[in-house]
Amino acid sequence: MRGIAALVVLFHHSLLTIPVLAAVYENDAVPVEDVASVAWMLVHTPLHNLWEGKGAVYIFFVLSGVVLTLPVLRG
């Protein structure tokens, strides 16, 4: 799971190099004339989960905390 979360963060950062998607990420809006565009699909469909970097970072850190805490709790 941590590996998948890390890949999602990597994918998120690579998609932010595309100006249209960077603008969508910063403004959280896609122009109306671009409703059929890839940017619209990546924002307003379940495909958004493929590049949800913030959520993936949270999952990564929570799972890392569990992995690091379990050996201490076991003794």
Side-chain angles (χ1 to χ4, degrees):
M1 287 294 288
R2 289 187 324 156
I4 292 171
L7 287 175
V8 169
V9 172
L10 178 69
F11 191 58
H12 172 79
H13 284 260
S14 64
L15 284 179
L16 287 181
T17 61
I18 301 170
V20 173
L21 291 175
V24 167
Y25 179 72
E26 292 172 2
N27 300 329
D28 198 31
V30 178
V32 176
E33 63 269 4
D34 292 339
V35 171
S37 70
V38 173
W40 184 87
M41 289 190 301
L42 284 173
V43 173
H44 297 291
T45 65
L47 291 175
H48 180 67
N49 293 326
L50 294 176
W51 73 296
E52 177 57 41
K54 186 184 256 186
V57 168
Y58 291 152
I59 290 170
F60 182 84
F61 281 128
V62 167
L63 290 176
S64 295
V66 169
V67 167
L68 293 172
T69 304
L70 282 178
V72 173
L73 293 176
R74 288 186 184 154

